[in-house]
């Protein structure tokens, strides 16, 4: 296994190129995510929130933390999704004072459709072999400090 390199005082050319490529990947992902959301008549924020709730019901404060925004913003997003029948509020069984936001059956269906309509990863990742995709995943996990497993 390779040992981590010490952080140089100035980035080298390879590091700068990798940073630029990561930026291009992130920009392309966001662009296509917004397009996929629009195909489902959602904003990007609504789509991200709905995707999170399709995995599990969450309290508003946790949604705000995951979306990196203010709880008041989450309330407005949940209100709009609730009006469309994609999200519902329910009491937390562990603490009846806390309200959970949860995707409805229609919300989970829309979230699946959103994931299926994302074209971003299909073609570029399909061009990589399984070992290349595993190496890419493992490198990204290391960069983010996520344990492999």
């Amino acid at each position: 296994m390779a040992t981590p390199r010490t952080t140089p005082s100035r980035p080298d050319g390879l590091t700068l190129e990798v940073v630029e490529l990561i930026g291009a990947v992130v920009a392309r992902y966001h662009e296509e995510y917004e397009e996929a959301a629009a195909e489902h008549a959602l904003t990007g924020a609504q789509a991200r929130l709905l995707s999170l709730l399709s995995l599990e019901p969450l309290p508003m404060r946790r949604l705000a933390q995951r979306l990196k925004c203010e709880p008041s913003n989450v309330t407005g997003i949940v209100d709009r999704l609730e009006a469309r029948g994609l999200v519902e509020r329910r009491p937390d069984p562990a603490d009846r004072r806390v309200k959970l936001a949860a995707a409805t059956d229609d919300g989970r269906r829309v979230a699946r459709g959103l994931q299926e309509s994302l074209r971003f990863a299909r073609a570029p990742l399909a061009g990589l072999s399984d070992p290349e995709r595993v190496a890419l995943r493992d490198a990204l996990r290391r960069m983010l400090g996520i344990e492999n497993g």
Side-chain angles (χ1 to χ4, degrees), residues 52-95:
L52 285 172
L53 293 180
S54 72
L55 302 173
E56 64 178 328
L58 292 168
M60 302 291 216
R61 187 164 303 284
R62 179 120 14 104
L63 279 169
Q65 290 168 340
R66 292 212 182 148
L67 294 173
K68 297 185 181 4
C69 68
E70 293 297 318
S72 59
N73 292 347
V74 169
T75 300
I77 296 168
V78 169
D79 287 346
R80 288 184 285 284
L81 291 172
E82 190 174 36
R84 289 185 52 188
L86 301 176
V87 167
E88 63 186 8
R89 287 177 171 91
R90 57 172 82 140
D92 184 341
D95 184 348

Side-chain angles (χ1 to χ4, degrees), residues 96-111:
R96 308 281 288 165
R97 297 168 296 175
V98 174
K99 290 285 188 191
L100 298 177
T104 62
D105 288 341
D106 281 346
R108 283 187 291 281
R109 182 184 48 73
V110 170

Side-chain angles (χ1 to χ4, degrees), residues 3-142:
T3 58
R5 297 173 189 239
T6 58
T7 304
S9 58
R10 294 183 53 185
D12 60 270
L14 177 59
T15 298
L16 291 173
E17 183 180 5
V18 169
V19 168
E20 285 296 318
L21 290 168
I22 289 171
V25 166
V26 168
R28 184 169 167 192
Y29 173 81
H30 282 294
E31 180 181 311
E32 291 195 13
Y33 197 89
E34 293 288 331
E35 288 172 10
E39 289 173 15
H40 295 275
L42 297 169
T43 65
Q46 289 171 337
R48 284 186 290 281
L49 188 142
L50 187 58
S51 292
L52 285 172
L53 293 180
S54 72
L55 302 173
E56 64 178 328
L58 292 168
M60 302 291 216
R61 187 164 303 284
R62 179 120 14 104
L63 279 169
Q65 290 168 340
R66 292 212 182 148
L67 294 173
K68 297 185 181 4
C69 68
E70 293 297 318
S72 59
N73 292 347
V74 169
T75 300
I77 296 168
V78 169
D79 287 346
R80 288 184 285 284
L81 291 172
E82 190 174 36
R84 289 185 52 188
L86 301 176
V87 167
E88 63 186 8
R89 287 177 171 91
R90 57 172 82 140
D92 184 341
D95 184 348
R96 308 281 288 165
R97 297 168 296 175
V98 174
K99 290 285 188 191
L100 298 177
T104 62
D105 288 341
D106 281 346
R108 283 187 291 281
R109 182 184 48 73
V110 170
R112 271 191 310 277
L114 176 67
Q115 289 301 109
E116 290 168 3
S117 65
L118 285 174
R119 297 174 301 279
F120 173 74
R122 286 192 195 130
L125 289 177
L128 299 177
S129 68
D130 284 347
E132 288 172 324
R133 288 187 294 148
V134 167
L136 177 60
R137 180 203 61 201
D138 292 349
L140 291 170
R141 283 180 173 172
R142 269 196 323 274

